């Protein structure tokens, strides 16, 4: 399936989780028999071209795509977690979302110094989540040059924020007007 065909599998839910947000829901994409596999293949091709030595994905939706890309390329997966989940000494960072604030944490021991880690998530909106993940992974010694997303909401400026932080962004589809 092409990225355009995959785009038609995304469900848009107006006013979720709050008024004014057009929620771009991946449930319908990953529920389609070919949707998840085709999406993962597209992302894996790009991750390979980026020279990925490991894949990092953000909890929760980034785990679905990131872990599958890691399997496809036979690479390790680094979970970037929401707070209070990891049982060891962590490093963490607070960040702002399109709606609200949150925190990400990682096990710094999961990264080898200088390792090329490619970030994978379902969607980039303001870029707050991906930027926080990039900062955290870099703090742990990773080389972060690329981040891959299924969906870009270009009007929210996230991809540009990442590029300003020297992270190249690649996405399979865009939804404009959000
Ligand atoms: O570019 P941003 O403005 O940071 O927004 C994008 C992030 O928001 C969503 O995750 P969410 O925090 O809603 O968590 P979830 O994956 O657990 O649903 C999405 O999966 C991205 O990680
Ligand atoms: N508009 C949106 N749709 C789905 N997930 C999101 N995460 C942040 N903004 C979002």
């Amino acid at each position: 399936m092409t990225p355009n065909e995959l785009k038609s599998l995304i469900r848009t839910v107006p006013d979720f989780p709050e008024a004014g947000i057009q929620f771009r829901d991946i449930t319908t994409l990953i529920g389609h028999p070919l949707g998840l596999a085709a999406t993962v293949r597209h992302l894996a091709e790009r991750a390979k071209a980026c020279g990925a030595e490991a894949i990092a994905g953000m909890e929760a939706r980034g785990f679905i795509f990131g872990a599958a890309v890691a399997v496809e390329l036979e690479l390790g997966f680094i979970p970037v977690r929401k707070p209070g989940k990891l049982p060891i000494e962590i490093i963490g960072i607070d960040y702002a979302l399109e709606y609200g604030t949150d925190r990400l944490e990682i096990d710094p021991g999961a990264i080898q110094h200088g390792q090329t880690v490619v970030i994978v998530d379902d969607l980039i909106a303001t870029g707050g989540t991906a930027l926080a993940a990039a900062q955290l992974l870099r703090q742990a010694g990773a080389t972060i040059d690329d981040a891959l997303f299924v969906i870009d909401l270009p009007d929210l400026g996230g991809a540009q924020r990442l590029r300003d932080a020297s992270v190249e962004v690649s996405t399979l589809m865009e939804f404009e007007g959000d």
Side-chain angles (χ1 to χ4, degrees):
M1 297 181 89
T2 64
N4 245 350
E5 289 167 333
L6 293 169
K7 183 175 177 182
S8 70
L9 296 178
I10 300 289
R11 172 170 59 193
T12 295
V13 182
D15 300 320
F16 181 86
E18 56 188 49
I21 303 286
Q22 295 272 70
F23 193 82
R24 307 301 182 178
D25 187 11
I26 57 159
T27 309
T28 39
L29 169 75
I30 63 177
H32 186 282
L34 303 178
L36 178 58
T39 303
V40 168
R41 272 197 297 274
H42 285 296
L43 293 171
E45 249 172 48
R46 295 178 190 204
K48 193 173 181 180
C50 296
E53 295 175 328
I55 302 295
M58 289 79 100
E59 185 172 355
R61 285 175 259 160
F63 285 6
I64 299 167
F65 298 101
V69 169
V71 169
E72 183 90 0
L73 297 179
E74 295 189 359
L75 295 175
F77 177 72
I78 300 161
V80 182
R81 301 224 55 180
K82 297 285 167 69
K85 303 288 187 179
L86 288 168
I88 35 77
E89 193 151 328
I90 53 90
I91 56 173
I93 188 167
D94 297 301
Y95 64 100
L97 275 174
E98 188 184 7
Y99 36 81
T101 62
D102 217 329
R103 180 177 169 80
L104 292 176
E105 296 180 344
I106 60 168
D107 167 9
I111 292 127
Q112 290 160 28
H113 193 79
Q115 191 176 28
T116 298
V117 177
V118 172
I119 292 171
V120 173
D121 203 357
D122 69 319
L123 177 146
I124 180 160
T126 66
T129 306
L131 199 54
Q135 284 167 346
L136 204 49
L137 291 158
R138 280 174 171 166
Q139 191 184 328
T143 298
I144 305 288
D145 294 330
D146 295 277
L148 311 178
F149 303 88
V150 181
I151 301 167
D152 182 19
L153 307 183
D155 297 348
L156 293 171
Q160 191 52 51
R161 269 180 89 192
L162 255 68
R163 290 186 188 111
D164 291 346
S166 301
V167 180
E168 279 308 308
V169 172
S170 174
T171 62
L172 299 190
M173 64 190 76
E174 293 185 357
F175 285 91
E176 291 184 0
D178 285 15

